[in-house]
Structures are given as structure tokens and as C-alpha cells.
Amino acid sequence: MVRTPQNEENAPVSDPSVSTYHSYANTLVANYGLRLGIEQDAQMLGSAQAWQLVAQLVEFVDPKLLPVDPPSKKSIIEGVMQLAGECSEHLIDPETIIEWCQQQIAALENIDKPGAVSERNKLVQRLHNRVFYALLVQQYSRLKKQMQVMDYGDLVALAARIAREIPQASATERDRFKVVLLDEFQDTSHAQMQLFSDLFGGTKGREEHPVMAVGDPKQSIYGFRGASDGQLFSFYSYFPTQDTTASYLTVAWRNDTAILHAANRVADPLKVQPAWVRSPHQVDVPDLVARPEPGVGQVLMGRYLTDQEEARSMVERIAQERAHHAHRPLTEMPTMAVLCKKRAMMEPIRQACEELDVPYQIVGLGGLLDTPEVIDMVS
């Protein structure tokens, strides 16, 4: 990650600095936040603490602000937290949302065509609800500022503001990191893209800085928190360069041909560049190909009425595979894994393993509070 200085080929090269996007944003805020009025000892709120803070706001909200037929307090809290996070990840303040919603409401009031009034009223009500949530996000932001606390969304938004408004930050970071590698770039948000573009992009009349982004739009999994696979397609818009050479790592060493064929079919729509991306350069996403001399592999699909039925079917198959390799020493027994989309599925699989006497190990903390041993300890 660190380039050898020009004309100093024999100069020592320091170890690369590796951090997550949020960790790097935290470093920027700690180093430069005071220039924006953020104290260095500002407390970082965890998810539970942020939830509690929003819950207090909702508990004492002005009844006049409540929308018609208001949702439950739990739904309001979750809605406020979601909108607050989206504002941070997209670098939009709640005032802008309120202004936009009010403009749309004013425009919709002129619609009085027969048959359209009912739909108009529903849309207007949704816009009023959005204004209500934005007002609470506004209060939430003011409260955090008064308490000198931040949440994770604030962290990235503040770092992006530092990169945009404090030239010394960009100059210092460019001198500190001669080469920048942005990994898992398909899971970055607009705020993160803007942050690194303002720091290291060849914009604002600055010379190009060595920046490489690595990612795969087919593996974008963090859309729920503001990430977008379109970030990868628009990379050259934020990092303009004369060198638009892209390298493609297309050989899948882990999977056999049948599995790759199914995966490519499922992921095929994800390789199309979104219509909203305005990039001067096309980024292609080729299909994965199998390793040299691959196996055929097998893809099975099943339908089950309950989670328990599905879990037992999977564990029965694992037990059959173990019986097939029973003649091997324990150290040579092939390993098998079950990947769960949600934690609630872990417990039925654990129970099926117990019933069929299949040894197992649960990776992660999900579901532990429901196991007898942990229940006894908590009690």
C-alpha cells in the first residue's frame, strides 16, 4: 500500500496502515474535529445508547407534531434512527428533507382530478409523516450536539465535512499515505465516497493521487445502511484519471462448475450499470469462471413448511456425508458448514444436530441466550 519515494528506491518502506472505513473516519474526527467544534473527548454512542436517546425524544414528543393515526413508539424510534442514518450516509440534513416534502405537498394540493384525490391524500399523508420523522431527527441532532456525543452515522458525515472544508486535512493525509487501497468498495456509502474523493481524488485542481478500489457489485450486502453497488461504477467520476485500466479477478478457486453456473445466473442482473450512474468510463463485471480442473459440484433446492423441517433435512444430509467418510481418521473428516441468513435459524439447526447426534459448533453469539446453559447463568 505504500509507494517507495521517487529517486529513493533503497529507502525504507513503513508497514501499511490498515483500518475500517469507520475507524479511519474516527481518526480524522479526532485529529481535526476541534476545528468544527467537536471536542476530542466526545463520546461515541453505541446502538443501544442511541436507541435510548431517541426513545426519550419520542416519549416526550409534542403531541401537536404527531401524525394522524400515529404508529407505535417502537416504530417511531426505528424510523427516526433509520432516517438519521440515511441523512448521514447521504450527507443530507433534515432541513432539506422537510423543505422538499413541503414543496411536494404544495404541488400535490393542486391535483383535484376525479379518481386521483384518494391517492393524492395517501401520498400527502406519507409526506407529512416524513416531515414528522425529519423534525425528530432535527431534535436528535441538536441533542447530540448539546451532549457532545456522536453516533456512527455522525462519524462518517463529520469526516466528510472535514475533508471538504479543511484543506490541511487533505494535504496531510496525501503526504501520509502515498498509495490508497479501498477494499470492499461496493459496500461504501455516498458519504464515504465523498470523503475519500475530497481527500485523495484528482479534483479541485490537484494532481492525481494513487488510489485503487477493489470490489464486486454482485456482493453488495449493505444497502440497508446506505451502501450502493453503483459506487463502484461511478468511481472514475469521483477519482478522474487518465489511467482507467481495470483488472478483473474472475477465477473462483472455491467452487465447482455447477455452483458457479447457478451463482452467475442469480447474480447476472447485478452486473448492469445503474441508469443513474454518469461515468465517463464503463466498468464491466464479467462472470466468474472455474479454476483449472474443477469438479462438477451439485446444487440442490428444497421447499419446506417449517424451519424445523428444513433444519432436520440439512442435518440429515450432513450425517449421511459423515457416515460415508466414517472410515477416515477424525482429523481427515471433511468439514461442513451451514450458513444462516438470519440468527433465528441457528437454534433449529442446533436442535437437529442434538437429535441426530451430529457434533457441531455455533460460530457467533446469535441464539446463545436461548441455550439452557446460558439461561442458567443469566438467571
Side-chain angles (χ1 to χ4, degrees):
M1 292 175 62
V2 180
R3 183 181 59 182
T4 303
Q6 293 181 357
N7 302 323
E8 298 182 23
E9 295 182 359
N10 296 323
V13 178
S14 61
D15 293 334
S17 297
V18 182
S19 67
T20 64
Y21 291 113
H22 279 85
S23 176
Y24 180 69
N26 186 45
T27 301
L28 282 180
V29 174
N31 291 340
Y32 303 98
L34 199 57
R35 299 174 183 235
L36 301 180
I38 306 299
E39 298 291 343
Q40 288 187 332
D41 59 350
Q43 180 185 355
M44 178 61 63
L45 295 177
S47 299
Q49 293 170 309
W51 197 95
Q52 289 175 330
L53 196 58
V54 175
Q56 293 178 34
L57 283 175
V58 174
E59 183 69 28
F60 300 102
V61 66
D62 187 347
K64 297 178 182 178
L65 295 177
L66 290 172
V68 179
D69 191 20
S72 66
K73 290 182 180 179
K74 179 176 181 292
S75 297
I76 295 176
I77 295 170
E78 292 173 349
V80 171
M81 293 191 67
Q82 180 179 353
L83 183 58
E86 290 176 351
C87 285
S88 297
E89 295 291 355
H90 293 88
L91 300 180
I92 298 293
D93 55 63
E95 293 80 6
T96 302
I97 295 176
I98 295 172
E99 182 181 352
W100 184 87
C101 288
Q102 291 173 340
Q103 290 174 353
Q104 301 307 308
I105 291 171
L108 288 168
E109 288 178 348
N110 297 324
I111 298 177
D112 55 2
K113 293 181 180 180
V117 175
S118 177
E119 291 300 320
R120 179 204 66 183
N121 292 341
K122 292 179 182 178
L123 182 55
V124 168
Q125 186 57 52
R126 287 198 293 268
L127 289 168
H128 278 301
N129 291 347
R130 180 61 64 176
V131 171
F132 166 69
Y133 282 112
L135 287 171
L136 286 181
V137 171
Q138 214 173 28
Q139 295 179 20
Y140 178 48
S141 299
R142 285 198 294 264
L143 184 58
K144 286 186 292 183
K145 190 172 182 179
Q146 292 171 3
M147 297 174 61
Q148 282 292 317
V149 296
M150 298 182 294
D151 58 25
Y152 284 103
D154 296 327
L155 199 60
V156 178
L158 286 170
R161 185 180 167 194
I162 288 170
R164 182 175 65 252
E165 299 179 8
I166 303 177
Q168 182 186 354
S170 177
T172 302
E173 296 303 298
R174 279 171 164 254
D175 185 62
R176 181 183 174 199
F177 299 111
K178 301 302 182 182
V179 172
V180 178
L181 171 62
L182 305 175
D183 197 13
E184 300 292 354
F185 200 68
Q186 78 280 351
D187 288 323
T188 55
S189 65
H190 170 71
Q192 290 167 332
M193 170 77 94
Q194 196 65 57
L195 162 63
F196 288 101
S197 175
D198 286 337
L199 286 179
F200 303 108
T203 57
K204 303 179 181 179
R206 301 174 303 189
E207 64 178 11
E208 295 178 11
H209 195 80
V211 179
M212 174 187 288
V214 180
D216 182 358
K218 296 180 181 180
Q219 296 186 45
S220 182
I221 60 174
Y222 289 112
F224 66 91
R225 69 179 188 194
S228 170
D229 56 4
Q231 299 287 89
L232 196 60
F233 292 110
S234 57
F235 176 80
Y236 292 119
S237 298
Y238 286 85
F239 297 89
T241 177
Q242 299 299 318
D243 181 8
T244 59
T245 304
S247 298
Y248 300 100
L249 306 177
T250 57
V251 178
W253 296 90
R254 300 177 182 175
N255 304 117
D256 294 328
T257 54
I259 297 171
L260 283 178
H261 177 69
N264 285 327
R265 283 285 299 275
V266 171
D268 193 60
L270 301 176
K271 69 180 181 181
V272 179
Q273 184 164 303
W276 56 264
V277 174
R278 298 291 182 266
S279 177
H281 306 286
Q282 179 72 27
V283 177
D284 297 319
V285 186
D287 287 340
L288 293 174
V289 298
R291 64 187 182 277
E293 300 181 4
V296 176
Q298 190 177 21
V299 178
L300 302 176
M301 183 180 71
R303 294 182 178 180
Y304 306 93
L305 293 177
T306 65
D307 289 346
Q308 289 72 21
E309 183 181 340
E310 180 184 10
R312 187 171 183 87
S313 176
M314 286 189 290
V315 176
E316 284 176 349
R317 181 168 180 81
I318 292 174
Q320 292 172 3
E321 289 294 327
R322 288 180 57 84
H324 180 70
H325 297 282
H327 62 281
R328 294 187 178 186
L330 186 61
T331 55
E332 296 181 10
M333 180 71 70
T335 57
M336 288 161 274
V338 178
L339 305 181
C340 299
K341 184 177 181 180
K342 52 186 180 180
R343 293 179 179 176
M345 192 61 191
M346 291 183 177
E347 179 59 17
I349 293 174
R350 185 194 69 81
Q351 291 178 353
C353 288
E354 291 279 0
E355 293 171 2
L356 298 175
D357 197 26
V358 173
Y360 65 91
Q361 177 184 8
I362 297 178
V363 180
L365 300 179
L368 281 180
L369 284 176
D370 296 324
T371 58
E373 299 84 353
V374 177
I375 289 176
D376 291 342
M377 183 177 295
V378 173
S379 298

